Amino acid sequence: MTMAIFLLFFLLSLSPASHSAVFVSIDCGSATDSYTDENSIKWIGDETLIQNGESHVVKDISAVSHVLSTLRAFTTRKKNCYAIEAEKGGQVLVRASFHYGNYDGKSSPPSFDLHSDGNYWTTVSFSGDDDVAIYEAIYVVKGDYISVCVAQINPSQFPFVSALEVRSLGSNMYGHVDSNYALLVRQMVAYGAKTSVRYPDDAYDRIWSPEAIDNGFTKLTSDAQSIVVNVTDNPPEAVLRNAVTTSGTSEALILSTQISVRGEVPIYINMYFSEVTQLKSTEKRSFVFTIDDQIASEPIEPPYGDVIQMYLTNTTASSKTTFGLVATNESTLPPLINAMEVFFVSGPLTEGTNSQDLEGLVLLQKTFSVLQEWTGDPCQPLSYTWDWVNCSSDDIPRVTALYLNGYGLKGSIPDFSSLDALETIDFHNNSLTGTIPDFLGNLPNLKELNLADNKLSGPVPTSLSKNDNIKLDISGNPVLCGSSKLCSTQKSNNTSNSKSSGSIKLKSHKLPAILGVLILSSFFVVF
């Protein structure tokens, strides 16, 4: 087991974190525009934030908080996402909450996957109808927004979301782990506290909970008038106001990290130490951090009115790994601890779909409003791509196909030439109008183009009519001409007919074989 352990003392001069840039709280399934809860947190409903899903109320609303009394369930599409604006390169805490509450009367809580920004996060599962599942992650945003998605993994089990929260963190916080990885919150403990500590006591709204079980520790309360917090990860002063200790120097303080997994996993741990009283000249509190009973730090001597942060990184642990604090030989007082954070470290974060492909997809969504129902990363995770795209399996995926037949698209085709990895475009059976854009024939990788059964007009661009590398189907467009020359001929004929009959009658024109354009029936398989 390799590891790196560091002590950050209160002498470090660090600027306090700036005010949070993003502080969003979404009550999923709620029809209420907004309200403020008992923690002074403003919540908003999600009706204007997502087009899919159905709102539901849990059976026993009196048993849970107001925010968990409603949810949004998704019975269509394999992946449904919320998109929230965020600063690129900024660090955020994302919290997703789930309470089934037997909303559907089936007494059968579903299991489903949770994704964030195209990365698999976890599989959400429940032990019973009244179970509440809360998942938190800290990571650096790679784009201009974050996406939180739920994905169906069982045909008859529908994903849902009860609440979503996003909080910006200080730029210097949690910088001891590579920004290409996420920190998955396992626990945040406020030792000795009677109730949870969160916003407004913690400006970042981290939730610090009292110990989950009674370990028999002695609880202490600080008598310092104030506690200066100048360490990188900015614990709130409120969690430093209390601590726990053992009955004597001979008793180790064993830390429960709740790492209940098979095998070893990469972890990151923060510990915070602040003396609770001004020690006498004859008193000394000194202890070391141990891993599996092996000393793993220099002596720790908590300061009064200040704080020491110790962090553990670049290491792995399992459910069998023990962490403790043990008094040194010269210590007259037993060890103490005020607060602790335990994280799992994720695998490498994806960079997401190619940026120029995203530009093209956004343009399509702006042009055709029906496509705006799809949010989140289009290509990742690869098994949960948008329904109407195919993607490559590259580390940074490219969009290789658009399958938009029968989507009710209306209007002209926009210039999505930035999607230059496309091999297949299927736009048949819509109501597209206007001319066929010349850029389609210049897409370097395009092999199949199906524009059949639309209302396109004008000539077929020579970039397509003379391109033997593209299988083209433009049948079922009654006023489409084969070439500029034919369009001119047709226009001349129509003008002549107009003079003789007093009215214009445009006739459907079939392309002659000499054009070298392959007319195909609509045979594409749509995924």
Side-chain angles (χ1 to χ4, degrees), residues 106-182:
K106 297 180 179 179
S107 296
S108 181
S111 293
F112 49 90
D113 283 351
L114 177 63
H115 303 159
S116 182
D117 291 2
N119 299 280
Y120 169 80
W121 185 344
T122 190
T123 296
V124 179
S125 58
F126 306 89
S127 58
D129 290 0
D130 298 327
D131 193 19
V132 176
I134 300 176
Y135 301 92
E136 299 173 286
I138 292 172
Y139 62 92
V140 174
V141 181
K142 293 183 179 292
D144 296 323
Y145 69 95
I146 67 169
S147 64
V148 180
C149 310
V150 287
Q152 188 175 26
I153 57 177
N154 298 307
S156 60
Q157 298 184 20
F158 300 122
F160 70 88
V161 186
S162 299
L164 290 176
E165 301 163 79
V166 180
R167 317 298 193 221
S168 287
L169 301 176
S171 59
N172 293 326
M173 295 173 65
Y174 303 103
H176 308 300
V177 174
D178 190 321
S179 61
N180 289 315
Y181 298 81

Side-chain angles (χ1 to χ4, degrees), residues 24-30 35 37 43-46 65-72 74 82 84 94-100 114 121 132-136 148 150 160-167 198:
V24 177
S25 305
I26 303 172
D27 185 350
C28 303
S30 174
Y35 63 90
D37 69 9
W43 291 85
I44 58 175
D46 69 343
S65 64
H66 178 71
V67 71
L68 295 179
S69 64
T70 61
L71 58 85
R72 183 170 294 274
F74 302 96
Y82 288 82
I84 302 166
V94 180
R95 182 182 299 126
S97 300
F98 307 88
H99 175 58
Y100 169 64
L114 177 63
W121 185 344
V132 176
I134 300 176
Y135 301 92
E136 299 173 286
V148 180
V150 287
F160 70 88
V161 186
S162 299
L164 290 176
E165 301 163 79
V166 180
R167 317 298 193 221
R198 64 177 302 181

Side-chain angles (χ1 to χ4, degrees), residues 361-381:
L361 293 176
V362 168
L363 178 59
L364 285 169
Q365 289 185 309
K366 287 181 178 179
T367 304
F368 307 117
S369 59
V370 67
L371 303 182
Q372 294 172 12
E373 296 179 9
W374 281 265
T375 54
D377 192 281
C379 293
Q380 292 186 322

Side-chain angles (χ1 to χ4, degrees), residues 24 29 45 85 106 138 257 315 438:
V24 177
E85 288 188 43
K106 297 180 179 179
I138 292 172
T257 55
T315 191
D438 186 63

Side-chain angles (χ1 to χ4, degrees), residues 188-423:
M188 293 186 178
V189 186
Y191 288 104
K194 295 180 180 179
T195 59
S196 295
V197 175
R198 64 177 302 181
Y199 186 85
D201 292 312
D202 188 327
Y204 307 103
D205 195 32
R206 292 166 293 186
I207 301 177
W208 306 78
S209 302
E211 299 161 86
I213 58 176
D214 185 3
N215 292 310
F217 297 145
T218 301
K219 297 181 179 181
L220 304 172
T221 300
S222 177
D223 60 17
Q225 290 187 351
S226 64
I227 300 174
V228 177
V229 181
N230 274 332
V231 291
T232 54
D233 293 334
N234 288 296
E237 183 180 350
V239 304
L240 306 175
R241 282 281 163 195
N242 298 286
V244 294
T245 187
T246 59
S247 58
T249 56
S250 62
E251 183 181 356
L253 198 160
I254 303 301
L255 303 171
S256 174
T257 55
Q258 297 186 13
I259 302 175
S260 54
V261 293
R262 293 181 179 179
E264 293 198 338
V265 293
I267 63 167
Y268 174 72
I269 297 178
N270 275 334
M271 288 165 282
Y272 303 99
F273 308 99
S274 180
E275 186 56 75
V276 294
T277 191
Q278 188 71 59
L279 299 184
K280 300 175 183 178
S281 59
T282 57
E283 294 178 315
K284 184 179 183 66
R285 194 187 303 275
S286 174
F287 51 89
V288 292
F289 176 66
T290 63
I291 302 176
D292 292 333
D293 298 324
Q294 300 297 310
I295 295 176
S297 76
E298 297 295 322
I300 302 166
E301 297 181 9
Y304 177 68
D306 284 290
V307 61
I308 288 175
Q309 173 183 345
M310 190 187 95
Y311 64 91
L312 172 66
T313 188
N314 293 339
T315 191
T316 59
S318 71
S319 57
K320 297 180 180 179
T321 307
T322 59
F323 301 95
L325 302 173
V326 178
T328 60
N329 291 333
E330 64 270 22
S331 182
T332 63
L333 297 172
L336 66 71
I337 186 170
N338 305 76
M340 180 174 69
E341 300 172 277
V342 180
F343 306 91
F344 291 161
V345 181
S346 76
L349 298 176
T350 176
E351 293 291 334
T353 301
N354 178 276
S355 59
Q356 68 183 56
D357 287 353
L358 290 177
E359 292 175 8
L361 293 176
V362 168
L363 178 59
L364 285 169
Q365 289 185 309
K366 287 181 178 179
T367 304
F368 307 117
S369 59
V370 67
L371 303 182
Q372 294 172 12
E373 296 179 9
W374 281 265
T375 54
D377 192 281
C379 293
Q380 292 186 322
L382 192 58
S383 56
Y384 291 99
T385 60
W386 288 0
D387 300 311
W388 45 275
V389 304
N390 265 13
C391 302
S392 70
S393 57
D394 302 327
D395 289 340
I396 300 179
R398 299 301 308 269
V399 176
T400 59
L402 299 175
Y403 294 111
L404 285 167
N405 66 302
Y407 271 70
L409 307 184
K410 297 180 180 180
S412 58
I413 300 172
D415 183 356
F416 55 88
S417 54
S418 62
L419 287 158
D420 58 13
L422 284 172
E423 298 174 5

